[in-house]
Amino acid sequence: MKTSYFQPDNQGFYGKFGGAYVPEMLYPNVKELQDNYLKIINSDEFQKEFRASLKNYAGRPTPLYFAARLSEKYGTKIFLKREDLAHTGSHKINNAIGQILVAKHLGKKRIIAETGAGQHGVATATVCAQHGLECIVYMGETDMKRQAPNVARMRMLGAEVRAAVSGNKTLKDAVNEAIRDWISNPTDTYYLIGSVVGPHPYPDMVARLQAVISEEIMIQFEEFTGTPNPDCVIACVGGGSNAAGAFYHFADNENVKLIAVEADGHGVDSGETAATTQIGSIGILHGSKTLLMQDQYGQVTEPYSISAGLDYPGIGPVHAHLFETGRVQMLGATDKEALNAAFELAQLEGIIPALESAHALAALKKFDTKNAGTIVVNLSGRGDKDMETYMK
Ligand SMILES: *Cc1c(COP(=O)(O)O)cnc(C)c1O
């Protein structure tokens, strides 16, 4: 029998991607989570708390909006899943709410996270404040300068932001610092990862927590059309959590076409890109085997995208698997194409999307939408944070 695309084996592998490649000293921490995460998130108590928080704190369900003018332009019916309307402005809150509850069920008192653009750091600081838990966010020193407003937000929310000063002083270095912290504080500390990346069980756990997105789409799409299944679902991919959430309940129905959109940056061959599936190869990143951008010596190369949230040198193992099996079609959008798509949505629908989400919208120009049937685009976040870039 064919296994489900989103179901890893008991070692955390999706096909040849995934697993848990961690230093021996980290093994007990990861093992504790592996042994307990399913028990916790499938329990009635967790589900009750999680659902209540999604509803009353995050503002779910987020609407599914029929975009009439956008639809007219592309000659089909296009719906937007409005993750931009969730608390803190993106889908990231779904995962943060879920994992903070997992941490509490494990009896953890101290939360660590790492962040590149700062969006995941803000979501983590938010739920830590809500639950009164200590929060330490590692962030590359370079990123702290580039993303100063998010540093200010995290601090206002009561989190401590610690600068990672090694290497390029970006996300990779922040990950190293977070892992070092976790090794030094194995019993009381929970490492809250922000996407479907990291050692098993993080990719599966985060996908399950974000799966609420496609769960809601099915109910809402059925209200509009009488069937739960659109013909096509589109989402952008940094690490891949919003795409995992948007695809989750559709993946095993081959009638639903799934399109993921990576950030091409200045262009796939420009040396300034984050198009992992186009120029990447298999290797170990962030504790799992996946596709990543690396040089001939296996050193991770610095990714580039105008959008900070897509500026990640790999993709989660489940997306590597979906790509390799051909279940998901990967497209790319350059900085310029994403910017154009953002202005188009703003002026056709009165919605300013996050730059990340604008990459998903840019895909509408890359295939024959008139013959694609109904389309759902996952609008992963709102554009307030990107206004400075848009004005330039
Ligand atoms: C972080 C972020 C992304 C990229 O992360 P994924 O894990 O790939 O979803 C996309 N959109 C927004 C708005 C983000 O904040």
Side-chain angles (χ1 to χ4, degrees):
M1 201 189 88
K2 204 167 153 318
T3 55
S4 169
Y5 284 100
F6 273 100
Q7 183 62 58
D9 68 16
N10 55 17
Q11 307 292 320
F13 280 92
Y14 305 88
K16 62 164 133 38
F17 304 105
Y21 298 83
V22 296
E24 197 178 326
M25 287 172 78
L26 212 56
Y27 182 71
N29 309 35
V30 171
K31 182 81 167 55
E32 181 187 29
L33 200 54
Q34 288 174 352
D35 289 345
N36 291 290
Y37 82 108
L38 284 178
K39 245 182 298 182
I40 293 171
I41 67 180
N42 290 329
S43 71
D44 291 343
E45 195 191 343
F46 175 92
Q47 282 298 326
K48 225 174 110 194
E49 295 166 338
F50 182 51
R51 299 286 164 173
S53 245
L54 290 178
K55 178 167 182 263
N56 304 317
Y57 189 66
R60 303 203 73 89
T62 58
L64 183 71
Y65 166 69
F66 172 61
R69 294 203 337 122
L70 194 69
S71 296
E72 197 184 342
K73 168 144 193 194
Y74 288 96
T76 184
K77 288 199 161 119
I78 301 174
F79 297 80
L80 304 176
K81 181 58 173 162
R82 300 289 311 273
E83 293 303 292
D84 60 314
L85 295 177
H87 181 44
T88 70
S90 84
H91 68 289
K92 284 197 173 72
I93 194 73
N94 306 328
N95 171 54
I97 286 175
Q99 283 197 57
I100 203 80
L101 293 173
V102 169
K104 284 184 99 172
H105 279 256
L106 289 170
K108 306 294 179 182
K109 304 264 178 284
R110 183 173 172 273
I111 306 297
I112 57 170
E114 98 291 309
T115 192
Q119 296 297 106
H120 170 57
V122 170
T124 304
T126 297
V127 295
C128 286
Q130 190 206 3
H131 288 271
L133 293 174
E134 185 185 352
C135 180
I136 292 146
V137 180
Y138 291 93
M139 193 166 181
E141 200 175 39
T142 310
D143 288 336
M144 285 179 70
K145 289 194 191 115
R146 288 196 292 204
Q147 311 290 339
N150 277 338
V151 175
R153 283 187 188 103
M154 287 184 265
R155 288 185 171 146
M156 179 159 178
L157 290 160
E160 183 190 334
V161 183
R162 288 192 190 161
V165 295
S166 61
N168 283 332
K169 308 183 174 73
T170 60
L171 181 64
K172 179 161 50 71
D173 314 295
V175 170
N176 290 340
E177 292 296 330
I179 287 174
R180 220 166 284 151
D181 181 312
W182 207 21
I183 291 173
S184 318
N185 301 283
T187 49
D188 68 335
T189 296
Y190 182 87
Y191 181 16
L192 208 160
I193 292 183
S195 189
V196 285
V197 301
H200 174 62
Y202 283 100
D204 183 41
M205 178 164 64
V206 175
R208 286 168 186 262
L209 298 172
Q210 292 290 3
V212 65
I213 298 172
S214 48
E215 182 185 304
E216 289 175 6
I217 292 174
M218 291 182 98
I219 295 166
Q220 295 167 323
F221 195 80
E222 184 156 22
E223 284 169 9
F224 275 107
T225 66
T227 158
N229 300 312
D231 294 305
C232 177
V233 180
I234 306 177
C236 65
V237 175
S241 68
N242 87 87
F247 295 167
Y248 199 93
H249 292 288
F250 299 116
D252 296 327
N253 177 353
E254 307 271 350
N255 294 326
V256 182
K257 187 175 171 66
L258 303 176
I259 297 178
V261 187
E262 292 180 313
D264 285 350
H266 291 320
V268 173
D269 301 318
S270 67
E272 289 182 292
T273 182
T276 301
T277 62
Q278 303 308 303
I279 64 160
S281 52
I282 193 165
I284 309 289
L285 179 69
H286 213 149
S288 78
K289 188 180 278 185
T290 191
L291 293 173
L292 66 140
M293 292 167 28
Q294 52 191 331
D295 65 17
Q296 62 194 112
Y297 307 106
Q299 294 298 309
V300 176
T301 51
E302 198 69 27
Y304 165 81
S305 165
I306 193 172
S307 127
L310 302 183
D311 200 352
Y312 183 70
I315 50 172
V318 70
H319 290 291
H321 177 58
L322 289 164
F323 170 67
E324 201 194 53
T325 55
R327 177 63 187 96
V328 163
Q329 182 185 3
M330 276 287 174
L331 296 176
T334 62
D335 290 0
K336 204 159 169 238
E337 290 166 337
L339 285 168
N340 288 338
F343 279 86
E344 179 178 88
L345 187 74
Q347 288 164 23
L348 285 178
E349 297 291 348
I351 299 168
I352 298 177
L355 263 168
E356 292 83 2
S357 321
H359 285 73
L361 293 161
L364 293 169
K365 287 208 176 8
K366 309 229 157 182
F367 63 99
D368 180 11
T369 49
K370 288 193 179 68
N371 293 304
T374 51
I375 298 173
V376 172
V377 180
N378 196 40
L379 205 73
S380 56
R382 72 175 80 123
D384 308 34
K385 68 183 178 58
D386 299 313
M387 279 318 295
E388 209 176 307
T389 310
Y390 287 145
M391 285 183 302
K392 273 193 260 172

